[in-house]
Amino acid sequence: MDEACRRPEIAYPARVPMKIIGRQEELRPDMVMELIVAHLGPQPEGDERHSANCKGAFISYTFWVTLPHDQAETPLREAIQKLPGVVMQL
C-alpha cells in the first residue's frame, strides 16, 4: 500500500466544517443547527453561527461542529440528508 494514500490520523474531539447545500426556499439553517445540537450536544460559543452563500435557487450553509468521537459524524449527516431541500453535503 502506498504510504502517501493513507488516511490521516484524527484526534478527537475534532472541530470540522460541514457544508450543507440545498434549495433556498426549503432549507433553513435553524433546522440544521437543531440536528447538530440533538446529535452532538451544545457546541462551543460562536459555532452556533454559520456562513451562507447563495447562487440562484440554491444556498449553502457552512457550520463548524465539534465531533466527540469517530462514530458521531455519520448519524448526524444521515439526519441532515433527510431535511427538506437538502441536495448535497461536503
Side-chain angles (χ1 to χ4, degrees):
M1 186 164 119
D2 183 3
E3 290 296 317
C5 293
R6 291 188 58 182
R7 188 176 187 130
E9 294 292 322
I10 299 174
Y12 292 92
R15 186 174 180 261
V16 299
M18 291 184 74
K19 181 175 280 204
I20 297 91
I21 302 165
R23 291 182 291 279
Q24 187 175 347
E25 70 278 358
E26 294 179 70
L27 183 60
R28 293 190 336 262
D30 60 308
M31 297 186 303
V32 177
M33 194 64 215
E34 283 177 22
L35 287 177
I36 290 170
V37 171
H39 283 263
L40 304 178
Q43 296 297 289
E45 188 172 334
D47 283 354
E48 70 276 358
R49 288 184 232 111
H50 63 276
S51 62
N53 189 9
C54 184
K55 183 145 185 153
F58 297 96
I59 191 158
S60 70
Y61 297 108
T62 302
F63 291 86
W64 282 90
V65 299
T66 300
L67 301 172
H69 51 77
D70 65 343
Q71 304 297 310
E73 186 173 6
T74 299
L76 173 58
R77 287 195 179 272
E78 288 171 350
I80 289 171
Q81 193 61 40
K82 294 176 184 174
L83 288 175
V86 171
V87 174
M88 180 187 310
Q89 298 181 58
L90 304 172

